[in-house]
Amino acid sequence: MTNHYIDPILEIITSRQQAITAKDPNANVCHFATVTSNNGKLIASVRAINLHTISGRSFEFHCSEQSEKWKHLQLNSAYEFELWLPSVGRNYRIQGELEIMPKSLVEQNWSRSLYSFKILDCFYEEYQPLGSKLQSQELLLSSIDSLKTKNPIEEQILPPKHLRGFYCKACQIDAL
């Protein structure tokens, strides 16, 4: 009998790279769940979030300190996220320990962010805080166009002041 150990992190990295090559729109996006308490009642929240990188046993994420997920993680570090890669027929659910990333490292890692996410973060900083009610779709679209005109070179976009980062150290991985 042979022992066939499959490193789940290596499998996720391989599947994600295949999805990136296949131009899978989900390759850089996870569905991230947090739990918070409201008057003693537990409430789960799920949202899409950009997965920056995977290294060792950690998955790296960035978010705004204005976001509900950041507020939830400050109060309760419980999380779960799902990485669904339809182009390669794989789905992963990950739970584990949370570690806050030093702000200096978040700023260094900003260069790996997608241009569209950088522009959206600029919108939150310059026009309307994250989580506030959108005044109109027209304002959003015209503001995004203006930001793209103002920031045509991705590498020159500075990280916003509200940017934070965290690592999710995988302790449990389910794969389908």
Side-chain angles (χ1 to χ4, degrees), residues 68-136:
E68 287 298 313
K69 73 182 141 298
W70 181 255
K71 294 171 187 171
H72 291 182
L73 291 170
Q74 295 300 296
L75 298 171
N76 180 351
S77 64
Y79 73 85
E80 181 173 287
F81 69 91
E82 174 192 51
L83 178 57
W84 176 53
L85 305 170
S87 64
V88 294
R90 298 301 287 169
N91 186 60
Y92 302 97
R93 189 176 66 184
I94 296 120
Q95 296 175 339
E97 299 171 3
L98 185 82
E99 181 182 329
I100 303 301
M101 187 183 303
K103 183 116 171 89
S104 60
L105 191 54
V106 176
E107 291 171 355
Q108 286 176 7
N109 294 342
W110 170 253
S111 64
R112 291 194 315 255
S113 293
L114 299 173
Y115 179 71
S116 58
F117 285 105
K118 288 179 180 181
I119 292 294
L120 192 56
D121 278 332
C122 289
F123 173 79
Y124 296 141
E125 188 165 62
E126 292 185 32
Y127 289 95
Q128 193 169 338
L130 179 66
S132 61
K133 185 177 179 182
L134 185 61
Q135 295 172 17
S136 71

